[in-house]
């Protein structure tokens, strides 16, 4: 895949572009392991939903699959803050991996962190392996997800999740196909899906679960967010407030 790579910097933040103004990733130069873009922060909200970093740093997730490397934001955060996790990144464009190494402080590959060059959809369909957390954030230069936004792919993701498994996917909420994307996700996961309110950028993060059901009262989510912020600097308090204000937490508990 021939991907044009452009790098820009403004106000201490370095940005990744695929031959257009569309931002494909960002890193605050003085905080390379922090999550600069709002939607990337929300993709890590699984740490509030399962018994993970917020209360027990050794538990969840043990295995993480990241589809779409971008500026390596998610990969670096998990690598830095979840030392118990083995991480596999699948990226279709070798040039993106080169750029992440050169400009975005991509960690070196080792026993717990590896990169596979190839199609994320094909990888999930063909590799019979179980994962606790599957993060999907793959778009081309025209903001198209292609095979990563199909019913067979979502069904395959579900089949690869562990009993504690969660999928987080970045959907572009302002695109005309957003509702159809969400419907495909809901069909694949038998409606065990929650879509967070759209970020200012237009990105919508949706979570889908398999295995053990999740029920988290708002008060518990806020306490988990407080612990997570203390441990990692990641502040998901505003996300919980937006969830409540949008009516996404009926009865005061997030159900998934």
């Amino acid at each position: 895949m021939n991907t044009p790579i452009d790098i820009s910097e403004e106000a201490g933040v370095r940005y990744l572009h695929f031959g257009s103004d569309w931002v494909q990733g960002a890193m605050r130069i003085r905080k390379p392991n922090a999550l600069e873009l709002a939607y990337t922060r929300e993709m890590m909200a699984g740490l509030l939903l399962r018994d993970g970093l917020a209360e027990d740093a050794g538990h969840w997730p043990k295995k993480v699959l990241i589809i779409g490397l971008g500026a390596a934001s998610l990969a670096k955060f998990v690598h830095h803050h979840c030392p118990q996790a083995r991480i596999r990144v699948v990226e279709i464009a070798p040039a993106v991996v080169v750029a992440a190494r050169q400009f975005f402080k991509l960690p070196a590959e080792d026993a717990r962190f590896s990169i596979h060059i190839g199609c994320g959809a094909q990888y999930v369909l063909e590799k019979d392996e179980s994962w606790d957390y599957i993060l999907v954030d793959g778009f081309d230069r025209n903001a198209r997800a292609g095979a990563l936004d199909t019913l067979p792919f979502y069904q395959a993701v579900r089949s690869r999740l562990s009993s504690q498994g969660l999928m987080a996917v970045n959907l572009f909420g302002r695109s005309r196909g957003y509702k159809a994307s969400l419907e495909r996700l809901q069909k694949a996961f038998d409606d065990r899906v929650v879509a967070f309110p759209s970020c200012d950028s237009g990105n919508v993060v949706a979570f889908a679960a398999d295995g053990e059901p999740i029920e988290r009262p708002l008060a518990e989510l806020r306490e988990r967010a407080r612990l997570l912020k203390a441990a990692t600097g990641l502040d998901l308090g505003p996300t919980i407030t937006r969830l409540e204000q949008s009516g996404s937490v009926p009865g005061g508990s997030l159900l998934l």
Side-chain angles (χ1 to χ4, degrees), residues 32-72:
N33 294 315
L35 295 170
E36 180 66 22
L37 301 179
Y39 86 87
T40 61
R41 295 194 289 271
E42 295 196 346
M43 287 191 74
M44 292 310 305
L47 294 172
L48 304 181
L49 303 179
R50 292 296 191 195
D51 291 330
L53 187 62
E55 61 183 37
D56 179 359
H59 186 50
W60 188 94
K62 293 286 180 62
K63 291 184 63 183
V64 179
L65 177 64
I66 301 173
I67 297 176
L69 177 64

Side-chain angles (χ1 to χ4, degrees), residues 59-99:
H59 186 50
W60 188 94
K62 293 286 180 62
K63 291 184 63 183
V64 179
L65 177 64
I66 301 173
I67 297 176
L69 177 64
S73 301
L74 294 170
K76 288 185 298 182
F77 183 90
V78 176
H79 186 267
H80 187 70
H81 292 293
C82 302
Q84 80 283 359
R86 287 203 299 117
I87 306 153
R88 168 67 54 86
V89 176
V90 180
E91 170 55 53
I92 198 169
V96 172
V97 179
V98 173

Side-chain angles (χ1 to χ4, degrees), residues 27-199:
M27 176 185 76
R28 186 162 297 276
I29 296 169
R30 294 182 63 183
K31 296 181 179 180
N33 294 315
L35 295 170
E36 180 66 22
L37 301 179
Y39 86 87
T40 61
R41 295 194 289 271
E42 295 196 346
M43 287 191 74
M44 292 310 305
L47 294 172
L48 304 181
L49 303 179
R50 292 296 191 195
D51 291 330
L53 187 62
E55 61 183 37
D56 179 359
H59 186 50
W60 188 94
K62 293 286 180 62
K63 291 184 63 183
V64 179
L65 177 64
I66 301 173
I67 297 176
L69 177 64
S73 301
L74 294 170
K76 288 185 298 182
F77 183 90
V78 176
H79 186 267
H80 187 70
H81 292 293
C82 302
Q84 80 283 359
R86 287 203 299 117
I87 306 153
R88 168 67 54 86
V89 176
V90 180
E91 170 55 53
I92 198 169
V96 172
V97 179
V98 173
R101 287 198 180 108
Q102 185 173 355
F103 298 105
F104 295 99
K105 299 186 183 298
L106 178 68
E109 292 186 69
D110 58 21
R112 59 177 290 257
F113 180 73
S114 60
I115 297 171
H116 173 83
I117 302 296
C119 170
Q122 186 176 354
Y123 184 91
V124 171
L125 287 163
E126 294 180 356
K127 300 289 186 181
D128 185 11
E129 195 167 355
S130 179
W131 305 90
D132 296 324
Y133 207 5
I134 298 180
L135 301 157
V136 181
D137 184 23
F139 293 93
D140 65 14
R141 62 186 297 183
N142 299 307
R144 294 178 302 208
L148 298 178
D149 182 23
T150 62
L151 180 61
F153 172 68
Y154 293 143
Q155 289 170 328
V157 167
R158 182 178 181 179
S159 73
R160 303 298 184 227
L161 290 175
S162 70
S163 62
Q164 291 281 311
L166 273 181
M167 173 197 191
V169 57
N170 173 26
L171 304 174
F172 192 56
R174 291 177 184 162
S175 72
R176 286 178 295 176
Y178 160 68
K179 288 186 177 179
S181 300
L182 194 57
E183 287 170 0
R184 284 189 284 274
L185 197 59
Q186 289 167 332
K187 183 174 182 180
F189 282 84
D190 294 326
D191 290 326
R192 288 191 63 187
V193 176
V194 60
F196 285 12
S198 176
C199 302

Side-chain angles (χ1 to χ4, degrees), residues 12-34:
V13 179
R14 184 173 294 160
Y15 297 96
L16 174 70
H17 312 267
F18 293 166
S20 70
D21 290 336
W22 178 264
V23 172
Q24 298 284 351
M27 176 185 76
R28 186 162 297 276
I29 296 169
R30 294 182 63 183
K31 296 181 179 180
N33 294 315

